[in-house]
Amino acid sequence: MKFIDVHCHLDGGHFGDLNALLTDIRAVCVEKIIIAGVDLQTSEFCREFAKVHNMCRFTAGFHPTELKNYKEGDLEKIAEIAQDKRCVAIGEIGLDYHYPDTDKPLQRRIFTEQLILADKLGLPVQIHSRDCAEDMVSILKEYSALLKNGALMHCYSHSPEIAAELQKLGIYFSFGGTSTYSGSKKARRTIVALNFCRILSETDSPYLPPKSRAGQFPNTPASIPEIVANIADIRGATVEETAQTVWDNAHRLFKKL
């Protein structure tokens, strides 16, 4: 049995010895991880880390809450990073209206520009979406032609009804530690409602620990087996079947894996 974490963050110095971390991850049969960039600096970190660790692939992009660091011309630099053979997607991109000082027009502009960039490079996108459901659905429908290389709603948190709409656009959905809690009713209902071929596993490490690690920091990709087992339980499938389905789904979406 083999597992994959399609979205985690290894920058920031939270884990100590990263070589030891990768050994721990492999010990629980997590064979591949995708590390996500959130701005220019972290995208460069991800590229360099993936160069020397074969189990890693990476994404490059600007997260909506990191746009305070954005300068005109940075997307050209992201494009250069994303041409590395180990870059599987443009991400983590999207919208986040959680904070009161959010510059919504800027977020929408940079999000759509990165959708255009991904299409130009022939790459899928990894999408962050929080407290912005109406605008997110509107943009993805308007720019659906740019999603022909695939898209992932990372750590999906909107309703099952919205997921059903987005699934029609060919979008995939990943679920992490929050879906293991009994109170995560929307995530659990969505996991049941989606086509199995659209479901992926992630940790968003070092954040969002699963139930067995509640309150602990940092979370790590070693939590993936628990997350997959939870998805299997929700869907009434075996862990083996779920792990293989998620593995196949990830390789279908991220063709450079």
Side-chain angles (χ1 to χ4, degrees):
M1 191 158 45
K2 51 194 175 184
F3 300 98
I4 184 168
D5 185 345
V6 300
H7 188 99
C8 61
H9 304 274
L10 298 190
D11 59 278
H14 303 297
F15 302 100
D17 184 348
L18 288 175
N19 288 317
L21 174 67
L22 295 185
T23 298
D24 293 342
I25 294 167
R26 285 190 291 266
V28 295
C29 301
V30 177
E31 294 191 6
K32 291 185 181 181
I33 62 174
I34 300 175
I35 53 177
V38 297
D39 57 15
L40 190 58
Q41 181 179 2
T42 55
S43 296
E44 289 174 338
F45 166 86
C46 291
R47 175 177 60 180
E48 295 310 305
F49 192 80
K51 280 182 180 179
V52 294
H53 297 285
N54 194 49
M55 71 181 296
C56 300
R57 297 294 183 270
F58 76 97
T59 73
F62 258 91
H63 188 289
T65 64
E66 300 302 315
L67 292 177
K68 61 185 178 295
N69 299 319
Y70 176 80
K71 302 185 296 295
E72 294 303 325
D74 279 352
L75 286 192
E76 286 79 4
K77 296 176 183 176
I78 291 291
E80 186 274 325
I81 295 170
Q83 291 177 63
D84 188 286
K85 65 182 181 180
R86 300 166 191 84
C87 183
V88 299
I90 296 297
E92 167 181 0
I93 68 175
L95 303 174
D96 190 322
Y97 295 171
H98 184 70
Y99 300 102
D101 60 347
T102 295
D103 187 338
K104 295 181 181 179
L106 177 63
Q107 284 197 11
R108 290 191 289 265
R109 178 171 71 85
I110 301 302
F111 179 35
T112 56
E113 287 183 6
Q114 290 183 99
L115 291 177
I116 293 167
L117 173 61
D119 180 62
K120 180 180 177 181
L121 296 178
L123 290 172
V125 289
Q126 284 201 357
I127 298 172
H128 172 101
S129 184
R130 182 165 66 157
D131 297 344
C132 63
E134 184 177 350
D135 278 359
M136 178 59 67
V137 172
S138 176
I139 288 173
L140 292 177
K141 286 184 174 179
E142 180 180 356
Y143 290 91
S144 60
L146 299 177
L147 305 179
K148 60 181 177 292
N149 297 299
L152 171 69
M153 300 298 293
H154 121 77
C155 203
Y156 183 76
S157 61
H158 300 309
S159 70
E161 292 76 20
I162 289 174
E165 286 188 63
L166 297 179
Q167 185 175 234
K168 294 174 184 175
L169 303 178
I171 291 174
Y172 290 71
F173 304 81
S174 59
F175 299 90
T178 54
S179 66
T180 66
Y181 295 86
S182 59
S184 297
K185 299 188 186 305
K186 283 196 297 185
R188 298 172 76 86
R189 286 169 49 218
T190 303
I191 289 168
V192 169
L194 285 170
N195 291 335
F196 211 176
C197 65
R198 294 290 164 184
I199 292 175
L200 298 173
S201 58
E202 69 159 282
T203 61
D204 201 22
S205 300
Y207 315 107
L208 308 181
K211 186 177 180 179
S212 72
R213 296 174 55 83
Q216 296 183 36
F217 185 91
N219 186 28
T220 83
S223 296
I224 282 290
E226 179 180 350
I227 291 165
V228 171
N230 179 68
I231 293 171
D233 181 62
I234 291 170
R235 290 194 62 94
T238 67
V239 175
E240 291 78 7
E241 176 191 3
T242 303
Q244 188 62 54
T245 298
V246 167
W247 182 271
D248 293 343
N249 294 346
H251 285 76
R252 187 183 314 112
L253 173 58
F254 301 112
K255 295 183 172 55
K256 291 170 69 177
L257 273 174

